[in-house]
């Protein structure tokens, strides 16, 4: 499973704490598009995605 697929599946597992709904995550080329039930949950998912990407990039840079 590649990095994009890992991030996608991780974000899809999240549940909105307000509405108890999972986000819809779609692969669009080399990017992910997140659709959520509310702005609060969207912002949270977007931040989670950025944190995961940062962690992966950090781990890769440490391997060099």
């Amino acid at each position: 499973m590649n990095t994009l697929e890992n991030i996608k599946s991780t974000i899809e597992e999240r549940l909105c704490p307000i509405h108890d709904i999972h986000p819809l995550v779609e692969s669009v080329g080399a990017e992910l598009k997140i659709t959520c039930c509310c702005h609060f949950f969207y912002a949270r998912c977007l931040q989670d995605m950025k944190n995961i990407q940062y962690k992966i990039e950090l781990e890769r840079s440490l391997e060099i």
Side-chain angles (χ1 to χ4, degrees), residues 24-58:
L24 174 63
V25 184
E26 298 176 87
S27 295
V28 180
E31 296 183 12
L32 293 176
K33 179 183 175 195
I34 302 171
T35 305
C36 296
C37 54
C38 62
H39 181 71
F40 168 79
F41 188 47
Y42 174 78
R44 192 169 179 183
C45 288
L46 190 60
Q47 187 60 50
D48 287 347
M49 183 177 73
K50 289 178 182 180
N51 290 342
I52 294 167
Q53 288 173 327
Y54 176 77
K55 181 180 175 186
I56 290 170
E57 289 173 15
L58 182 62

Side-chain angles (χ1 to χ4, degrees), residues 6-26:
N6 285 335
I7 295 170
K8 182 180 183 292
S9 64
T10 300
I11 299 300
E12 286 175 329
E13 292 174 3
R14 303 278 196 267
L15 271 176
C16 176
I18 299 168
H19 302 105
D20 201 33
I21 298 173
H22 292 277
L24 174 63
V25 184
E26 298 176 87

